[in-house]
């Protein structure tokens, strides 16, 4: 089992300040035009009435960020990923038969949710105190450590951020990733980081020798390095934040007014956790038993 880890202060992706509200969305695969009809404005009903409206409509719109394995459109144009697949099961149990993707940039997920471009964020979003001021989180469905993509054989023997700093290694990570803060906490200068669009670009940078390592979530790194002939994934490790090893938890996010929907979602989520169904759903996306969690949104929101 993974070592016991304390709740995180920051999430998988840091909040991107100043993000504009989500614009008009186009078409994706067989799903037709997305974002063309918004849900009605919040009704003012205590706890929200979105769940009732979703049951009447028979469909829930999921905000995703096109990131494997969290939530994305596959090569056949179908919605998949750990969060959408778990969401399908939970919303079915809540009486909502269909899910519809609304793709956007990661930094636009919270603005898009709060401007009612979609109903729920289903992107494996890390829970942190800053985000908890803006959205209402379900309890996490997974916990996650960090990992590096390095060249085959790990020639610089890099296993954590302290190694990166001590050996003056060149590090890359993704736009808005929490790993930016994790590296800075270890003493790495943020101005020295190579920021790339995603994990594929990070792998390419390592393979080309432009950097010594790419930092990401353990599951993201495992997947992107799996078929590389030139690179490999290091063992997962907990970043050290404020002197303590910490892990992150990812969860679905709802508008702050929709407590009834969030609470109903949590009830079904905990049933699925107890039965082992959450692990069965997430396992095809390379999640391990060590990444299942009993963390709560309440403790993560405290930081």
């Amino acid at each position: 089992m993974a070592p016991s880890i304390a709740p995180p202060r920051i999430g998988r992706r840091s909040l991107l300040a100043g993000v504009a509200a989500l614009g008009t969305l186009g078409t994706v695969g067989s799903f037709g035009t997305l974002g063309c009809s918004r849900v009605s404005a919040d009704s003012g009903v205590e706890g929200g009435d979105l769940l009732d409206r979703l049951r009447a409509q028979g469909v829930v719109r999921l905000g995703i960020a096109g990131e494997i394995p969290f939530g994305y459109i596959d090569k056949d144009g179908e919605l998949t990923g750990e969060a959408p697949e778990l969401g399908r099961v939970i919303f079915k149990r809540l009486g909502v038969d269909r899910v519809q993707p609304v793709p956007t940039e990661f930094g636009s997920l919270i603005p898009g949710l709060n401007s009612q471009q979609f109903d729920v964020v289903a992107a494996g979003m890390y829970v942190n105190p800053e985000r908890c001021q803006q959205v209402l989180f379900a309890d996490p469905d997974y916990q996650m450590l960090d990992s590096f993509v390095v060249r085959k054989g790990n020639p610089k023997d890099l296993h954590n951020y302290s190694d990166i700093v001590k050996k003056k290694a060149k590090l890359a990570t993704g736009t808005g990733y929490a790993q930016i803060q994790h590296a800075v906490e270890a003493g790495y200068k943020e101005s020295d980081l190579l920021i790339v669009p995603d994990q594929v670009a990070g792998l390419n940078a390592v393979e080309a020798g432009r950097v010594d390592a790419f930092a990401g979530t353990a599951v993201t790194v495992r997947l992107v390095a799996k078929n590389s002939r030139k690179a490999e994934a290091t063992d997962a490790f907990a970043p050290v934040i404020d002197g303590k090893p910490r892990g992150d938890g990812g969860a679905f996010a709802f508008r702050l007014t929709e407590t009834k929907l969030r609470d109903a979602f949590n009830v079904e989520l905990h049933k699925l956790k107890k039965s082992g169904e959450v692990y069965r759903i997430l396992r095809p996306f390379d999640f391990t038993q060590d990444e299942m969690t009993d963390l709560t949104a309440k403790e993560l929101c405290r930081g």
Side-chain angles (χ1 to χ4, degrees):
M1 294 293 290
S4 177
I5 49 181
R9 188 187 69 186
I10 52 181
R12 178 167 61 87
R13 299 290 188 90
S14 61
L15 280 173
L16 304 180
V19 178
L22 188 61
T24 303
L25 297 171
T27 60
V28 179
S30 60
F31 293 104
T33 302
L34 300 176
C36 57
S37 62
R38 301 187 183 187
V39 295
S40 59
D42 293 324
S43 65
V45 174
E46 185 176 357
D49 64 355
L50 180 56
L51 179 55
D52 292 334
R53 289 186 280 128
L54 294 178
R55 284 169 172 162
Q57 296 165 6
V59 61
V60 56
R61 295 173 303 164
L62 305 180
I64 63 170
E67 184 177 6
I68 298 172
F70 299 102
Y72 59 100
I73 305 297
D74 68 16
K75 62 182 179 180
D76 297 318
E78 299 295 328
L79 172 65
T80 191
E82 66 88 15
E85 297 299 342
L86 180 58
R88 286 185 207 275
V89 173
I90 292 178
F91 278 104
K92 183 84 171 178
R93 293 168 71 119
L94 290 175
V96 185
D97 290 337
R98 293 190 299 116
V99 298
Q100 180 181 11
V102 182
T104 187
E105 297 292 330
F106 191 91
S108 294
L109 285 169
I110 289 177
L113 176 68
N114 286 330
S115 63
Q116 303 190 42
Q117 294 284 344
F118 41 84
D119 306 309
V120 181
V121 172
M125 180 177 282
Y126 276 1
V127 182
N128 65 40
E130 294 79 11
R131 290 180 180 143
C132 292
Q133 298 298 312
Q134 302 175 71
V135 296
L136 192 65
F137 281 105
D139 287 333
D141 42 88
Y142 72 89
Q143 66 177 358
M144 189 59 60
L145 302 178
D146 286 4
S147 185
F148 296 146
V149 177
V150 295
R151 286 189 285 279
K152 283 286 187 183
N154 197 1
K156 289 204 170 183
D157 199 29
L158 304 172
H159 300 282
N160 53 49
Y161 295 107
S162 179
D163 290 341
I164 295 284
V165 173
K166 289 176 183 176
K167 298 177 182 183
K168 299 181 178 179
K170 182 64 176 176
L171 181 66
T173 192
T175 302
Y177 280 24
Q179 285 71 31
I180 296 171
Q181 285 80 10
H182 295 174
V184 171
E185 284 277 349
Y188 198 89
K189 289 179 63 177
E190 186 170 353
S191 59
D192 289 341
L193 279 168
L194 174 64
I195 304 299
V196 296
D198 54 33
Q199 65 268 35
V200 175
L203 172 66
N204 292 339
V206 172
E207 290 181 333
R210 292 191 290 122
V211 296
D212 300 303
F214 169 81
T217 68
V219 66
T220 299
V221 166
R222 285 197 301 267
L223 285 169
V224 77
K226 183 178 291 186
N227 297 316
S228 175
R229 295 181 179 180
K230 297 181 179 180
E232 65 186 40
T234 66
D235 290 339
F237 63 93
V240 177
I241 308 298
D242 292 334
K244 298 179 181 179
R246 305 204 181 193
D248 291 292
F252 287 73
F254 308 83
R255 285 187 287 279
L256 289 171
T257 53
E258 299 297 340
T259 56
K260 287 183 179 178
L261 175 56
R262 190 280 307 271
D263 292 348
F265 188 97
N266 264 348
V267 168
E268 299 304 327
L269 173 64
H270 284 283
K271 290 178 183 176
L272 294 175
K273 285 185 176 185
K274 187 174 182 179
S275 70
E277 186 73 358
V278 169
Y279 177 52
R280 187 194 69 78
I281 294 168
L282 269 58
R283 184 170 55 184
F285 300 98
D286 215 42
F287 285 75
T288 68
Q289 186 66 56
D290 287 347
E291 288 153 356
M292 299 301 97
T293 184
D294 291 322
L295 288 170
T296 67
K298 184 177 180 179
E299 60 188 305
L300 295 177
C301 285
R302 287 198 301 262

